[in-house]
């Protein structure tokens, strides 16, 4: 019998739980699990551990798709429509999970209560659809803080020039107006830009959403009718429009997603970058980043309403309802989100979702100035975190909103015109789906 530290987490069936009072592991010799996983540099270290699970269980994992969550979302929906659900394990996200009420199985029968209790309560709560635990959270709790190049703020000439032009000291920004001022000040296109932002898909809508909140508004009313066509919404969209139109962000930013942003800041050509914790280690690694040793991190800025941005969520793994080897698949998912896996992922900067790993991260950061700064910034950021709207039509809504945001940013519509068109489209979509 192969030995495994994590097998106490999984069981073959409910009767075993009832008979023994604890979960029992199983051998999975000859089992092959097809998986569809999120791709990206920051996720690869964890995937290297799959070989360890294979060696200990006798099973194998066949990764048949590795894409970003936006592309996976399209693929999952295509699979559902076609009934081609032969795969077993999928990357999931708290912002996407509510769209798939029939895709993923309840993991509760395959896990002990003690194993589940080791996750942060709020993350487990966000991993449920009703009473079903459809996802196990990995060490990828996402809320964004502001990365910046420290040397820009230590330059005496820049300090003097900024003070003369804007009337206040050049320090890392605490408001989005200050971000705008500083981004314009630092920009020297096409060689250097003050900031950047993800400009398409759910990414730009999420950023717009949190800016609307920071401006004192909301994206939806309680009945899920659109609420963003408002003065707060116009102020929020104007922020992106002004940054882009003043040349303070790269022209290509309207086609950027997270990988482009991470590589952009690491290239040394961006002054200020609102981004996720998973990039912290990458940005400070001299083998991957030109700004290594020059990175500062502060809590995300606040809008005119005195509210900080804080759109958040977490990554995880799920098992399909159609999977023929749910026990093996649950074992893999438990392994990829267990304490050892989360310690590995969080060592590069991502925030863990297991209680003991939070304690480990705090202890490990002692004596490391950069990691301590990162942890302090993201702990502060987490205090202001709020999830994506809990509607199964969130992604569908973002798909009709983001082209209008892009139209305003590119100058094809005013912000007011763009939001009016987007609100009408969301209203129609929600009504068609019976939301109100």
């Amino acid at each position: 019998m192969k030995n495994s530290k994590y097998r106490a987490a999984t069981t073959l069936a409910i009767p075993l739980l009832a008979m023994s009072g604890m979960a029992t592991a199983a051998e999975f010799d000859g089992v092959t699990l097809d998986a569809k996983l999120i791709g990206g540099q920051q996720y690869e270290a964890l995937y290297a551990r799959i070989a360890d699970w294979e060696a200990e269980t006798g099973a194998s994992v066949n990764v048949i798709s590795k894409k970003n969550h936006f592309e996976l979302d399209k693929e999952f929906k295509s699979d559902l429509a076609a009934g081609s659900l032969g795969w077993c394990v999928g990357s999931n996200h708290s912002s996407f999970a509510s769209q798939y009420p029939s895709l993923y199985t309840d993991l509760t029968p395959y896990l002990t209560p003690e194993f589940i209790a080791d996750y942060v309560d709020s993350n487990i709560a966000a991993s449920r659809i009703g009473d079903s635990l459809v996802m196990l959270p990995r060490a990828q709790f996402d809320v964004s803080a502001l990365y910046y190049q420290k040397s820009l703020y230590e330059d005496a000439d820049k300090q003097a020039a900024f003070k003369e032009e804007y009337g206040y000291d050049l320090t890392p920004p605490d408001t989005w107006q200050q971000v705008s001022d500083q981004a314009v000040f630092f920009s020297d296109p096409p060689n250097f830009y003050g900031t950047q932002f993800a400009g398409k898909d759910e990414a730009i809508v999420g950023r717009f959403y949190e800016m609307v909140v920071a401006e004192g508004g909301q994206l939806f009313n309680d009945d899920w009718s659109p609420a963003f066509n408002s003065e707060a919404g116009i102020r929020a969209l104007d922020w992106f429009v002004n940054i882009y139109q003043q040349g303070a962000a790269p022209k290509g930013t309207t086609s950027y997603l997270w990988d482009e942003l991470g590589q952009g800041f690491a290239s040394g050509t961006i002054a200020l970058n609102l981004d996720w914790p998973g990039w912290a280690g990458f940005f400070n690694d001299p083998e991957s980043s030109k700004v290594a040793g020059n990175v500062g991190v502060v809590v995300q800025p606040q809008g005119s309403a005195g509210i900080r941005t804080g759109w958040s969520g977490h990554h995880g793994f799920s098992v399909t309802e159609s999977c023929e080897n749910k026990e093996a698949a649950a074992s893999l998912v438990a392994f990829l989100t267990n304490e050892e896996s989360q310690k590995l992922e969080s060592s590069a900067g991502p925030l863990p979702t297991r209680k003991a790993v939070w304690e480990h991260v705090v202890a490990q950061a002692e004596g490391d100035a950069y990691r301590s700064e990162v942890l302090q910034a993201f702990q502060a950021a987490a205090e202001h975190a709020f999830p994506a709207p809990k509607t199964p039509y969130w992604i569908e809504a973002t798909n009709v909103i983001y082209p209008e945001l892009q139209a305003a940013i590119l100058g094809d519509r005013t912000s007011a015109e763009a939001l009016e068109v987007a609100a009408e489209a969301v209203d129609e979509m929600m009504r068609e789906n019976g939301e109100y």
Side-chain angles (χ1 to χ4, degrees):
M1 173 75 68
K2 300 180 180 73
N3 182 37
S4 173
K5 295 179 181 178
Y6 64 89
R7 287 187 176 168
T10 59
T11 181
L12 271 174
I14 297 175
L16 285 174
L17 282 169
M19 288 166 27
S20 66
M22 60 179 292
T24 303
E27 294 288 285
F28 303 121
D29 290 311
V31 170
T32 297
L33 299 176
D34 286 342
K36 295 192 173 189
L37 305 179
I38 186 171
Q41 177 275 334
Q42 66 269 45
Y43 310 119
E44 291 302 319
L46 177 64
Y47 298 157
R49 295 204 75 211
I50 292 175
D52 297 335
W53 180 83
E54 292 174 323
E56 293 187 10
T57 64
S60 61
V61 179
N62 179 32
V63 180
I64 60 176
S65 185
K66 192 180 284 187
K67 301 175 180 177
N68 66 48
H69 268 140
F70 306 109
E71 294 302 318
L72 285 178
D73 176 60
K74 296 172 185 176
E75 195 167 299
F76 294 166
K77 288 173 179 173
S78 177
D79 290 346
L80 283 165
S84 54
L85 294 169
W87 49 281
C88 278
V89 175
S91 286
N92 206 344
H93 194 284
S94 57
S95 294
F96 289 74
S98 61
Q99 300 180 103
Y100 319 123
S102 63
L103 176 57
Y104 294 123
T105 197
D106 180 10
L107 292 167
T108 308
Y110 309 105
L111 306 165
T112 65
E114 293 79 12
F115 186 81
I116 296 172
D118 285 338
Y119 294 92
V120 174
D121 295 342
S122 60
N123 294 128
I124 279 292
S127 298
R128 297 184 184 276
I129 296 179
D131 294 330
S132 295
L133 179 61
V134 298
M135 169 173 54
L136 286 185
R138 63 190 287 182
Q140 291 284 347
F141 172 59
D142 283 338
V143 62
S144 294
L146 192 68
Y147 296 90
Y148 66 95
Q149 291 198 40
K150 293 190 293 186
S151 59
L152 296 172
Y153 293 85
E154 297 165 354
D155 186 307
D157 291 338
K158 284 184 171 59
Q159 290 173 353
F162 183 86
K163 181 69 174 287
E164 181 177 355
E165 184 171 353
Y166 290 94
Y168 63 92
D169 291 334
L170 180 61
T171 58
D174 190 57
T175 70
W176 282 105
Q177 181 57 54
Q178 291 171 358
V179 173
S180 182
D181 293 344
Q182 294 176 20
V184 172
F185 175 78
F186 287 132
S187 290
D188 182 24
N191 302 310
F192 194 85
Y193 294 92
T195 192
Q196 57 183 351
F197 51 84
K200 67 176 184 177
D201 295 336
E202 185 220 21
I204 181 59
V205 182
R207 290 298 188 220
F208 169 70
Y209 160 52
E210 64 181 347
M211 194 70 82
V212 172
V213 172
E215 290 297 314
Q218 54 189 27
L219 207 67
F220 295 104
N221 295 308
D222 291 344
D223 64 356
W224 296 114
S225 59
F228 56 81
N229 186 18
S230 63
E231 291 300 317
I234 292 172
R235 290 195 301 272
L237 182 50
D238 278 348
W239 187 90
F240 296 95
V241 171
N242 293 337
I243 285 290
Y244 189 83
Q245 293 297 329
Q246 293 182 83
K251 288 295 183 184
T253 200
T254 49
S255 64
Y256 287 2
L257 290 175
W258 311 124
D259 283 353
E260 290 83 2
L261 297 182
Q263 294 292 343
F265 186 71
S267 74
T269 61
I270 304 293
L272 296 157
N273 183 48
L274 183 74
D275 220 327
W276 312 106
W279 288 104
F282 184 82
F283 290 154
N284 210 43
D285 182 350
E287 293 188 3
S288 59
S289 174
K290 293 182 179 178
V291 294
N294 187 34
V295 181
V297 196
V298 292
V299 67
Q300 68 271 34
Q302 56 188 311
S304 66
I307 301 170
R308 297 189 187 277
T309 51
W311 169 45
S312 68
H314 68 267
H315 295 229
F317 297 104
S318 299
V319 175
T320 60
E321 184 63 47
S322 60
C323 179
E324 295 182 356
N325 296 286
K326 291 186 178 68
E327 295 86 0
S331 171
L332 173 62
V333 167
F335 178 79
L336 290 175
T337 63
N338 70 9
E339 190 168 323
E340 291 181 14
S341 292
Q342 294 218 3
K343 284 179 178 178
L344 172 66
E345 282 209 282
S346 61
S347 67
L351 304 184
T353 57
R354 293 181 71 88
K355 297 168 186 175
V357 183
W358 264 108
E359 298 170 5
H360 169 79
V361 167
V362 171
Q364 290 294 110
E366 292 181 6
D368 185 324
Y370 177 70
R371 288 188 66 188
S372 295
E373 181 178 352
V374 167
L375 185 59
Q376 181 179 1
F378 279 102
Q379 281 182 314
E383 293 178 3
H384 305 282
F386 47 86
K390 292 294 185 178
T391 168
Y393 304 106
W394 162 242
I395 298 299
E396 194 168 345
T398 68
N399 288 338
V400 298
I401 294 171
Y402 90 78
E404 296 306 322
L405 302 183
Q406 288 182 327
I409 291 167
L410 295 171
D412 297 331
R413 297 189 195 274
T414 67
S415 292
E417 290 169 345
L419 294 184
E420 182 176 359
V421 173
E424 290 176 355
V426 171
D427 179 72
E428 181 179 359
M429 183 271 293
M430 289 294 192
R431 289 181 185 277
E432 288 178 351
N433 284 290
E435 283 295 270
Y436 52 89

